[in-house]
Amino acid sequence: MSDWITCSLGDFVYFQRGHDLPKTQMEVGEVPVAGSNGVIGYHDVATTKGPGITIGRSGNIGTPKFYKEDFWAHNTVLYVKDFKGNNPLFAYYFLRVIDFSGFNTGSAVPTLNRNHIHELEIKIPSLPEQKAIASVLSSLDDKIDLLHRQNKTLEAMAETLFRQWFIEGAKEDWEEVTLADVCTRITDGSHSSPASVEEGYPMASVKDMYDWSINQATCRKISKEDYEALVQADCKALQGDILIAKDGSYLKHVFLLEESLDVVLLSSIAMLRPNGRYNPMLLTLFLKLDSTHESMQNIVTGAVIPRIVLKDFRKFPIQLPPKDLQDKAVEVIKPIFEKCWENNRQIQTLENLRDTLLPKLMSGEVIVQYQTEEVA
């Protein structure tokens, strides 16, 4: 760490506040509009050349986002106007380890002032080491992204097969049942929210869901006593359960658990426990279909935060395919699910490795070997 230098954050990268843009102009082009939570729309003009970085300025403050291409920086973000000769990708990873919450100047809405964070004292390595560190971390992220994209392709294949067999090929004499008829239990997680603790047991909400599982690293922690009480109340996700996003972007996430998780759930997540009449893999695919999402709009309430009403959800009608047809379909679809589960395990391993390495690399605790670039 001998060649690391001390400087201010403003000497490392210079932030600029983003620009106003009416919602009516966010669907008029192909340039991503970068908000505090990521892409919030598209415009026909860019304010910032890629590669670029934003951090949340209002609302979700401090969370860095990296953009390879040109983008419009929305007024809810600060964007890097000048990298001061530093490596952009390294800067992105470096910003990820900074806790910006202490710089909040807002009361009702968290707000970040660029003048305050510019004064933060930091230590950074030389440019060659920046590039070497960024290469290590980005290689892990590239592998993670590849696995996510592979899962998306496999999911699309499975959904296409399901539609062909059970939607387009549905027969009039198939039994019509409800979701409650094919599940032993349809419920949601806890309606009470225990206090958070520093060290404890994970409690998940919709924000912690992703394509094939729960991200335990982002879950808040609750005490052992609260966790055990919620396990007793059947708020723990078990192997074979189908979990769905019930509140907010309802049905945005739907997945079948390959194994039980040591996680309890908040009420924004619903659990379906199939009883065997409708194969869990097939039922999961049914719930993932866009057509199912559209059909369920009449059982959703709430203007600001849409929520599936469980008493109506349980009564939702479905056509029950014959058992022999289900068995034939599962022979083809099961390997797809198994591959996605395998990919998901690899994703979790790579994410854990990246998240372990990130603070160590950014502090100089772990050194990356690199070659000094020769000047011709």
Side-chain angles (χ1 to χ4, degrees), residues 68 93 135-151 343-351 353-354:
K68 294 181 180 179
Y93 288 114
S135 177
V136 169
L137 293 170
S138 63
S139 67
L140 292 172
D141 275 335
D142 288 345
K143 291 175 183 175
I144 291 167
D145 182 60
L146 178 63
L147 290 167
H148 276 302
R149 285 188 281 114
Q150 188 177 95
N151 273 4
N343 285 350
N344 185 60
R345 287 192 293 272
Q346 291 184 47
I347 289 168
Q348 291 179 326
T349 299
L350 291 168
E351 287 179 342
L353 176 58
R354 179 202 61 199

PDB file of all heavy atoms in Angstrom, residues 68 93 135-151 343-351 353-354:
ATOM      1  N   LYS A  68     -22.185   1.910 -18.994  1.00  0.00           N
ATOM      2  CA  LYS A  68     -21.158   1.786 -20.032  1.00  0.00           C
ATOM      3  C   LYS A  68     -21.401   2.770 -21.168  1.00  0.00           C
ATOM      4  O   LYS A  68     -20.459   3.276 -21.769  1.00  0.00           O
ATOM      5  CB  LYS A  68     -21.143   0.352 -20.585  1.00  0.00           C
ATOM      6  CG  LYS A  68     -20.696  -0.698 -19.577  1.00  0.00           C
ATOM      7  CD  LYS A  68     -20.686  -2.083 -20.205  1.00  0.00           C
ATOM      8  CE  LYS A  68     -20.231  -3.142 -19.209  1.00  0.00           C
ATOM      9  NZ  LYS A  68     -20.250  -4.504 -19.797  1.00  0.00           N
ATOM     10  N   TYR A  93     -16.357   0.778  -8.182  1.00  0.00           N
ATOM     11  CA  TYR A  93     -16.207  -0.177  -7.082  1.00  0.00           C
ATOM     12  C   TYR A  93     -15.777   0.530  -5.798  1.00  0.00           C
ATOM     13  O   TYR A  93     -16.225   0.161  -4.704  1.00  0.00           O
ATOM     14  CB  TYR A  93     -15.196  -1.261  -7.455  1.00  0.00           C
ATOM     15  CG  TYR A  93     -15.717  -2.239  -8.479  1.00  0.00           C
ATOM     16  CD1 TYR A  93     -15.154  -2.309  -9.755  1.00  0.00           C
ATOM     17  CD2 TYR A  93     -16.781  -3.083  -8.185  1.00  0.00           C
ATOM     18  CE1 TYR A  93     -15.641  -3.211 -10.703  1.00  0.00           C
ATOM     19  CE2 TYR A  93     -17.275  -3.975  -9.118  1.00  0.00           C
ATOM     20  CZ  TYR A  93     -16.710  -4.043 -10.376  1.00  0.00           C
ATOM     21  OH  TYR A  93     -17.205  -4.922 -11.313  1.00  0.00           O
ATOM     22  N   SER A 135     -10.199  -4.916 -12.891  1.00  0.00           N
ATOM     23  CA  SER A 135     -10.236  -6.103 -13.748  1.00  0.00           C
ATOM     24  C   SER A 135     -10.663  -7.338 -12.963  1.00  0.00           C
ATOM     25  O   SER A 135     -11.470  -8.148 -13.443  1.00  0.00           O
ATOM     26  CB  SER A 135      -8.858  -6.323 -14.379  1.00  0.00           C
ATOM     27  OG  SER A 135      -8.846  -7.499 -15.156  1.00  0.00           O
ATOM     28  N   VAL A 136     -10.140  -7.479 -11.746  1.00  0.00           N
ATOM     29  CA  VAL A 136     -10.502  -8.626 -10.904  1.00  0.00           C
ATOM     30  C   VAL A 136     -11.991  -8.606 -10.582  1.00  0.00           C
ATOM     31  O   VAL A 136     -12.708  -9.607 -10.742  1.00  0.00           O
ATOM     32  CB  VAL A 136      -9.676  -8.617  -9.598  1.00  0.00           C
ATOM     33  CG1 VAL A 136     -10.228  -9.646  -8.607  1.00  0.00           C
ATOM     34  CG2 VAL A 136      -8.211  -8.911  -9.894  1.00  0.00           C
ATOM     35  N   LEU A 137     -12.480  -7.466 -10.128  1.00  0.00           N
ATOM     36  CA  LEU A 137     -13.877  -7.377  -9.703  1.00  0.00           C
ATOM     37  C   LEU A 137     -14.837  -7.448 -10.899  1.00  0.00           C
ATOM     38  O   LEU A 137     -15.889  -8.089 -10.819  1.00  0.00           O
ATOM     39  CB  LEU A 137     -14.097  -6.080  -8.923  1.00  0.00           C
ATOM     40  CG  LEU A 137     -13.365  -6.006  -7.580  1.00  0.00           C
ATOM     41  CD1 LEU A 137     -13.429  -4.600  -7.001  1.00  0.00           C
ATOM     42  CD2 LEU A 137     -13.955  -7.008  -6.590  1.00  0.00           C
ATOM     43  N   SER A 138     -14.474  -6.799 -12.001  1.00  0.00           N
ATOM     44  CA  SER A 138     -15.373  -6.816 -13.163  1.00  0.00           C
ATOM     45  C   SER A 138     -15.443  -8.197 -13.800  1.00  0.00           C
ATOM     46  O   SER A 138     -16.482  -8.569 -14.372  1.00  0.00           O
ATOM     47  CB  SER A 138     -14.938  -5.783 -14.203  1.00  0.00           C
ATOM     48  OG  SER A 138     -13.660  -6.073 -14.708  1.00  0.00           O
ATOM     49  N   SER A 139     -14.359  -8.994 -13.697  1.00  0.00           N
ATOM     50  CA  SER A 139     -14.406 -10.353 -14.237  1.00  0.00           C
ATOM     51  C   SER A 139     -15.423 -11.189 -13.469  1.00  0.00           C
ATOM     52  O   SER A 139     -16.140 -12.010 -14.059  1.00  0.00           O
ATOM     53  CB  SER A 139     -13.023 -11.005 -14.197  1.00  0.00           C
ATOM     54  OG  SER A 139     -12.604 -11.231 -12.867  1.00  0.00           O
ATOM     55  N   LEU A 140     -15.508 -10.983 -12.155  1.00  0.00           N
ATOM     56  CA  LEU A 140     -16.509 -11.684 -11.355  1.00  0.00           C
ATOM     57  C   LEU A 140     -17.914 -11.218 -11.734  1.00  0.00           C
ATOM     58  O   LEU A 140     -18.825 -12.025 -11.915  1.00  0.00           O
ATOM     59  CB  LEU A 140     -16.258 -11.440  -9.864  1.00  0.00           C
ATOM     60  CG  LEU A 140     -14.989 -12.077  -9.279  1.00  0.00           C
ATOM     61  CD1 LEU A 140     -14.763 -11.605  -7.849  1.00  0.00           C
ATOM     62  CD2 LEU A 140     -15.079 -13.601  -9.309  1.00  0.00           C
ATOM     63  N   ASP A 141     -18.090  -9.900 -11.880  1.00  0.00           N
ATOM     64  CA  ASP A 141     -19.404  -9.371 -12.257  1.00  0.00           C
ATOM     65  C   ASP A 141     -19.821  -9.833 -13.653  1.00  0.00           C
ATOM     66  O   ASP A 141     -21.001 -10.086 -13.904  1.00  0.00           O
ATOM     67  CB  ASP A 141     -19.405  -7.845 -12.186  1.00  0.00           C
ATOM     68  CG  ASP A 141     -19.703  -7.323 -10.793  1.00  0.00           C
ATOM     69  OD1 ASP A 141     -20.344  -8.051 -10.017  1.00  0.00           O
ATOM     70  OD2 ASP A 141     -19.293  -6.194 -10.480  1.00  0.00           O
ATOM     71  N   ASP A 142     -18.856  -9.957 -14.561  1.00  0.00           N
ATOM     72  CA  ASP A 142     -19.176 -10.439 -15.911  1.00  0.00           C
ATOM     73  C   ASP A 142     -19.681 -11.885 -15.875  1.00  0.00           C
ATOM     74  O   ASP A 142     -20.619 -12.251 -16.587  1.00  0.00           O
ATOM     75  CB  ASP A 142     -17.944 -10.350 -16.819  1.00  0.00           C
ATOM     76  CG  ASP A 142     -17.597  -8.915 -17.198  1.00  0.00           C
ATOM     77  OD1 ASP A 142     -18.457  -8.031 -17.009  1.00  0.00           O
ATOM     78  OD2 ASP A 142     -16.462  -8.683 -17.652  1.00  0.00           O
ATOM     79  N   LYS A 143     -19.050 -12.715 -15.037  1.00  0.00           N
ATOM     80  CA  LYS A 143     -19.491 -14.106 -14.893  1.00  0.00           C
ATOM     81  C   LYS A 143     -20.885 -14.176 -14.277  1.00  0.00           C
ATOM     82  O   LYS A 143     -21.733 -14.979 -14.685  1.00  0.00           O
ATOM     83  CB  LYS A 143     -18.491 -14.894 -14.048  1.00  0.00           C
ATOM     84  CG  LYS A 143     -17.146 -15.119 -14.721  1.00  0.00           C
ATOM     85  CD  LYS A 143     -16.151 -15.791 -13.784  1.00  0.00           C
ATOM     86  CE  LYS A 143     -14.783 -15.939 -14.436  1.00  0.00           C
ATOM     87  NZ  LYS A 143     -13.772 -16.497 -13.489  1.00  0.00           N
ATOM     88  N   ILE A 144     -21.129 -13.318 -13.284  1.00  0.00           N
ATOM     89  CA  ILE A 144     -22.447 -13.267 -12.638  1.00  0.00           C
ATOM     90  C   ILE A 144     -23.504 -12.847 -13.657  1.00  0.00           C
ATOM     91  O   ILE A 144     -24.586 -13.444 -13.740  1.00  0.00           O
ATOM     92  CB  ILE A 144     -22.418 -12.290 -11.442  1.00  0.00           C
ATOM     93  CG1 ILE A 144     -21.558 -12.865 -10.310  1.00  0.00           C
ATOM     94  CG2 ILE A 144     -23.833 -11.997 -10.935  1.00  0.00           C
ATOM     95  CD1 ILE A 144     -21.212 -11.859  -9.225  1.00  0.00           C
ATOM     96  N   ASP A 145     -23.187 -11.825 -14.442  1.00  0.00           N
ATOM     97  CA  ASP A 145     -24.131 -11.333 -15.459  1.00  0.00           C
ATOM     98  C   ASP A 145     -24.425 -12.401 -16.502  1.00  0.00           C
ATOM     99  O   ASP A 145     -25.576 -12.574 -16.928  1.00  0.00           O
ATOM    100  CB  ASP A 145     -23.559 -10.079 -16.124  1.00  0.00           C
ATOM    101  CG  ASP A 145     -24.504  -9.484 -17.146  1.00  0.00           C
ATOM    102  OD1 ASP A 145     -25.633  -9.115 -16.777  1.00  0.00           O
ATOM    103  OD2 ASP A 145     -24.123  -9.407 -18.333  1.00  0.00           O
ATOM    104  N   LEU A 146     -23.399 -13.140 -16.914  1.00  0.00           N
ATOM    105  CA  LEU A 146     -23.576 -14.210 -17.901  1.00  0.00           C
ATOM    106  C   LEU A 146     -24.532 -15.277 -17.378  1.00  0.00           C
ATOM    107  O   LEU A 146     -25.419 -15.750 -18.103  1.00  0.00           O
ATOM    108  CB  LEU A 146     -22.227 -14.831 -18.245  1.00  0.00           C
ATOM    109  CG  LEU A 146     -22.248 -16.003 -19.239  1.00  0.00           C
ATOM    110  CD1 LEU A 146     -22.777 -15.549 -20.595  1.00  0.00           C
ATOM    111  CD2 LEU A 146     -20.852 -16.610 -19.383  1.00  0.00           C
ATOM    112  N   LEU A 147     -24.385 -15.653 -16.111  1.00  0.00           N
ATOM    113  CA  LEU A 147     -25.255 -16.666 -15.507  1.00  0.00           C
ATOM    114  C   LEU A 147     -26.684 -16.156 -15.393  1.00  0.00           C
ATOM    115  O   LEU A 147     -27.645 -16.903 -15.627  1.00  0.00           O
ATOM    116  CB  LEU A 147     -24.714 -17.076 -14.142  1.00  0.00           C
ATOM    117  CG  LEU A 147     -23.408 -17.882 -14.166  1.00  0.00           C
ATOM    118  CD1 LEU A 147     -22.796 -17.965 -12.772  1.00  0.00           C
ATOM    119  CD2 LEU A 147     -23.655 -19.291 -14.713  1.00  0.00           C
ATOM    120  N   HIS A 148     -26.851 -14.883 -15.037  1.00  0.00           N
ATOM    121  CA  HIS A 148     -28.198 -14.298 -14.973  1.00  0.00           C
ATOM    122  C   HIS A 148     -28.849 -14.330 -16.354  1.00  0.00           C
ATOM    123  O   HIS A 148     -30.035 -14.675 -16.490  1.00  0.00           O
ATOM    124  CB  HIS A 148     -28.133 -12.855 -14.468  1.00  0.00           C
ATOM    125  CG  HIS A 148     -28.097 -12.724 -12.969  1.00  0.00           C
ATOM    126  ND1 HIS A 148     -29.092 -13.234 -12.155  1.00  0.00           N
ATOM    127  CD2 HIS A 148     -27.192 -12.130 -12.141  1.00  0.00           C
ATOM    128  CE1 HIS A 148     -28.810 -12.962 -10.891  1.00  0.00           C
ATOM    129  NE2 HIS A 148     -27.655 -12.298 -10.853  1.00  0.00           N
ATOM    130  N   ARG A 149     -28.085 -13.976 -17.385  1.00  0.00           N
ATOM    131  CA  ARG A 149     -28.642 -13.954 -18.744  1.00  0.00           C
ATOM    132  C   ARG A 149     -28.976 -15.367 -19.223  1.00  0.00           C
ATOM    133  O   ARG A 149     -29.972 -15.574 -19.928  1.00  0.00           O
ATOM    134  CB  ARG A 149     -27.674 -13.258 -19.694  1.00  0.00           C
ATOM    135  CG  ARG A 149     -27.668 -11.743 -19.524  1.00  0.00           C
ATOM    136  CD  ARG A 149     -26.870 -11.003 -20.585  1.00  0.00           C
ATOM    137  NE  ARG A 149     -25.439 -11.048 -20.325  1.00  0.00           N
ATOM    138  CZ  ARG A 149     -24.569 -11.665 -21.092  1.00  0.00           C
ATOM    139  NH1 ARG A 149     -24.968 -12.331 -22.164  1.00  0.00           N
ATOM    140  NH2 ARG A 149     -23.279 -11.640 -20.809  1.00  0.00           N
ATOM    141  N   GLN A 150     -28.142 -16.331 -18.833  1.00  0.00           N
ATOM    142  CA  GLN A 150     -28.431 -17.721 -19.191  1.00  0.00           C
ATOM    143  C   GLN A 150     -29.725 -18.175 -18.540  1.00  0.00           C
ATOM    144  O   GLN A 150     -30.555 -18.845 -19.187  1.00  0.00           O
ATOM    145  CB  GLN A 150     -27.271 -18.619 -18.759  1.00  0.00           C
ATOM    146  CG  GLN A 150     -27.385 -20.050 -19.266  1.00  0.00           C
ATOM    147  CD  GLN A 150     -26.194 -20.891 -18.888  1.00  0.00           C
ATOM    148  OE1 GLN A 150     -26.216 -21.595 -17.877  1.00  0.00           O
ATOM    149  NE2 GLN A 150     -25.135 -20.825 -19.695  1.00  0.00           N
ATOM    150  N   ASN A 151     -29.932 -17.801 -17.286  1.00  0.00           N
ATOM    151  CA  ASN A 151     -31.173 -18.161 -16.609  1.00  0.00           C
ATOM    152  C   ASN A 151     -32.385 -17.520 -17.275  1.00  0.00           C
ATOM    153  O   ASN A 151     -33.448 -18.140 -17.381  1.00  0.00           O
ATOM    154  CB  ASN A 151     -31.117 -17.761 -15.132  1.00  0.00           C
ATOM    155  CG  ASN A 151     -30.489 -18.835 -14.261  1.00  0.00           C
ATOM    156  OD1 ASN A 151     -30.026 -19.867 -14.770  1.00  0.00           O
ATOM    157  ND2 ASN A 151     -30.457 -18.630 -12.961  1.00  0.00           N
ATOM    158  N   ASN A 343     -27.079 -22.648 -11.701  1.00  0.00           N
ATOM    159  CA  ASN A 343     -26.547 -21.323 -12.020  1.00  0.00           C
ATOM    160  C   ASN A 343     -26.704 -20.374 -10.844  1.00  0.00           C
ATOM    161  O   ASN A 343     -25.817 -19.562 -10.552  1.00  0.00           O
ATOM    162  CB  ASN A 343     -27.258 -20.736 -13.247  1.00  0.00           C
ATOM    163  CG  ASN A 343     -26.813 -21.384 -14.538  1.00  0.00           C
ATOM    164  OD1 ASN A 343     -25.842 -22.146 -14.571  1.00  0.00           O
ATOM    165  ND2 ASN A 343     -27.517 -21.094 -15.619  1.00  0.00           N
ATOM    166  N   ASN A 344     -27.851 -20.464 -10.165  1.00  0.00           N
ATOM    167  CA  ASN A 344     -28.097 -19.589  -9.033  1.00  0.00           C
ATOM    168  C   ASN A 344     -27.101 -19.840  -7.903  1.00  0.00           C
ATOM    169  O   ASN A 344     -26.630 -18.901  -7.255  1.00  0.00           O
ATOM    170  CB  ASN A 344     -29.529 -19.783  -8.520  1.00  0.00           C
ATOM    171  CG  ASN A 344     -29.879 -18.804  -7.426  1.00  0.00           C
ATOM    172  OD1 ASN A 344     -29.841 -17.596  -7.626  1.00  0.00           O
ATOM    173  ND2 ASN A 344     -30.194 -19.317  -6.243  1.00  0.00           N
ATOM    174  N   ARG A 345     -26.762 -21.110  -7.682  1.00  0.00           N
ATOM    175  CA  ARG A 345     -25.762 -21.420  -6.654  1.00  0.00           C
ATOM    176  C   ARG A 345     -24.405 -20.817  -7.037  1.00  0.00           C
ATOM    177  O   ARG A 345     -23.691 -20.281  -6.179  1.00  0.00           O
ATOM    178  CB  ARG A 345     -25.636 -22.937  -6.471  1.00  0.00           C
ATOM    179  CG  ARG A 345     -26.830 -23.572  -5.754  1.00  0.00           C
ATOM    180  CD  ARG A 345     -26.525 -25.000  -5.339  1.00  0.00           C
ATOM    181  NE  ARG A 345     -26.355 -25.893  -6.485  1.00  0.00           N
ATOM    182  CZ  ARG A 345     -27.338 -26.542  -7.085  1.00  0.00           C
ATOM    183  NH1 ARG A 345     -28.582 -26.393  -6.659  1.00  0.00           N
ATOM    184  NH2 ARG A 345     -27.098 -27.347  -8.119  1.00  0.00           N
ATOM    185  N   GLN A 346     -24.051 -20.900  -8.313  1.00  0.00           N
ATOM    186  CA  GLN A 346     -22.799 -20.297  -8.767  1.00  0.00           C
ATOM    187  C   GLN A 346     -22.828 -18.775  -8.603  1.00  0.00           C
ATOM    188  O   GLN A 346     -21.831 -18.163  -8.207  1.00  0.00           O
ATOM    189  CB  GLN A 346     -22.536 -20.654 -10.233  1.00  0.00           C
ATOM    190  CG  GLN A 346     -22.213 -22.119 -10.475  1.00  0.00           C
ATOM    191  CD  GLN A 346     -21.867 -22.366 -11.935  1.00  0.00           C
ATOM    192  OE1 GLN A 346     -21.085 -21.633 -12.535  1.00  0.00           O
ATOM    193  NE2 GLN A 346     -22.451 -23.401 -12.506  1.00  0.00           N
ATOM    194  N   ILE A 347     -23.977 -18.182  -8.908  1.00  0.00           N
ATOM    195  CA  ILE A 347     -24.123 -16.730  -8.739  1.00  0.00           C
ATOM    196  C   ILE A 347     -23.884 -16.329  -7.287  1.00  0.00           C
ATOM    197  O   ILE A 347     -23.148 -15.379  -6.999  1.00  0.00           O
ATOM    198  CB  ILE A 347     -25.529 -16.269  -9.203  1.00  0.00           C
ATOM    199  CG1 ILE A 347     -25.637 -16.349 -10.725  1.00  0.00           C
ATOM    200  CG2 ILE A 347     -25.825 -14.845  -8.725  1.00  0.00           C
ATOM    201  CD1 ILE A 347     -27.052 -16.184 -11.252  1.00  0.00           C
ATOM    202  N   GLN A 348     -24.494 -17.069  -6.362  1.00  0.00           N
ATOM    203  CA  GLN A 348     -24.337 -16.748  -4.949  1.00  0.00           C
ATOM    204  C   GLN A 348     -22.884 -16.899  -4.508  1.00  0.00           C
ATOM    205  O   GLN A 348     -22.367 -16.072  -3.746  1.00  0.00           O
ATOM    206  CB  GLN A 348     -25.249 -17.637  -4.107  1.00  0.00           C
ATOM    207  CG  GLN A 348     -26.727 -17.315  -4.289  1.00  0.00           C
ATOM    208  CD  GLN A 348     -27.630 -18.219  -3.463  1.00  0.00           C
ATOM    209  OE1 GLN A 348     -27.335 -19.385  -3.249  1.00  0.00           O
ATOM    210  NE2 GLN A 348     -28.738 -17.677  -3.015  1.00  0.00           N
ATOM    211  N   THR A 349     -22.194 -17.942  -5.000  1.00  0.00           N
ATOM    212  CA  THR A 349     -20.780 -18.146  -4.654  1.00  0.00           C
ATOM    213  C   THR A 349     -19.929 -16.997  -5.173  1.00  0.00           C
ATOM    214  O   THR A 349     -19.080 -16.457  -4.445  1.00  0.00           O
ATOM    215  CB  THR A 349     -20.271 -19.476  -5.243  1.00  0.00           C
ATOM    216  OG1 THR A 349     -21.030 -20.558  -4.688  1.00  0.00           O
ATOM    217  CG2 THR A 349     -18.798 -19.684  -4.921  1.00  0.00           C
ATOM    218  N   LEU A 350     -20.159 -16.603  -6.420  1.00  0.00           N
ATOM    219  CA  LEU A 350     -19.391 -15.517  -7.014  1.00  0.00           C
ATOM    220  C   LEU A 350     -19.690 -14.179  -6.342  1.00  0.00           C
ATOM    221  O   LEU A 350     -18.784 -13.366  -6.123  1.00  0.00           O
ATOM    222  CB  LEU A 350     -19.684 -15.421  -8.516  1.00  0.00           C
ATOM    223  CG  LEU A 350     -19.157 -16.572  -9.374  1.00  0.00           C
ATOM    224  CD1 LEU A 350     -19.754 -16.511 -10.773  1.00  0.00           C
ATOM    225  CD2 LEU A 350     -17.633 -16.539  -9.453  1.00  0.00           C
ATOM    226  N   GLU A 351     -20.959 -13.951  -5.999  1.00  0.00           N
ATOM    227  CA  GLU A 351     -21.316 -12.704  -5.316  1.00  0.00           C
ATOM    228  C   GLU A 351     -20.676 -12.633  -3.935  1.00  0.00           C
ATOM    229  O   GLU A 351     -20.197 -11.570  -3.523  1.00  0.00           O
ATOM    230  CB  GLU A 351     -22.840 -12.569  -5.211  1.00  0.00           C
ATOM    231  CG  GLU A 351     -23.510 -12.226  -6.534  1.00  0.00           C
ATOM    232  CD  GLU A 351     -25.016 -12.116  -6.414  1.00  0.00           C
ATOM    233  OE1 GLU A 351     -25.571 -12.624  -5.411  1.00  0.00           O
ATOM    234  OE2 GLU A 351     -25.652 -11.526  -7.304  1.00  0.00           O
ATOM    235  N   LEU A 353     -17.893 -14.095  -3.051  1.00  0.00           N
ATOM    236  CA  LEU A 353     -16.469 -13.862  -3.263  1.00  0.00           C
ATOM    237  C   LEU A 353     -16.207 -12.392  -3.584  1.00  0.00           C
ATOM    238  O   LEU A 353     -15.302 -11.763  -3.015  1.00  0.00           O
ATOM    239  CB  LEU A 353     -15.958 -14.745  -4.403  1.00  0.00           C
ATOM    240  CG  LEU A 353     -14.501 -14.550  -4.831  1.00  0.00           C
ATOM    241  CD1 LEU A 353     -13.553 -14.788  -3.666  1.00  0.00           C
ATOM    242  CD2 LEU A 353     -14.158 -15.464  -6.004  1.00  0.00           C
ATOM    243  N   ARG A 354     -17.006 -11.845  -4.483  1.00  0.00           N
ATOM    244  CA  ARG A 354     -16.844 -10.429  -4.854  1.00  0.00           C
ATOM    245  C   ARG A 354     -17.041  -9.514  -3.652  1.00  0.00           C
ATOM    246  O   ARG A 354     -16.254  -8.593  -3.414  1.00  0.00           O
ATOM    247  CB  ARG A 354     -17.839 -10.071  -5.959  1.00  0.00           C
ATOM    248  CG  ARG A 354     -17.794  -8.622  -6.413  1.00  0.00           C
ATOM    249  CD  ARG A 354     -19.106  -8.232  -7.066  1.00  0.00           C
ATOM    250  NE  ARG A 354     -20.223  -8.358  -6.143  1.00  0.00           N
ATOM    251  CZ  ARG A 354     -21.494  -8.435  -6.526  1.00  0.00           C
ATOM    252  NH1 ARG A 354     -21.808  -8.433  -7.811  1.00  0.00           N
ATOM    253  NH2 ARG A 354     -22.459  -8.533  -5.629  1.00  0.00           N
TER     254      ARG A 354
END
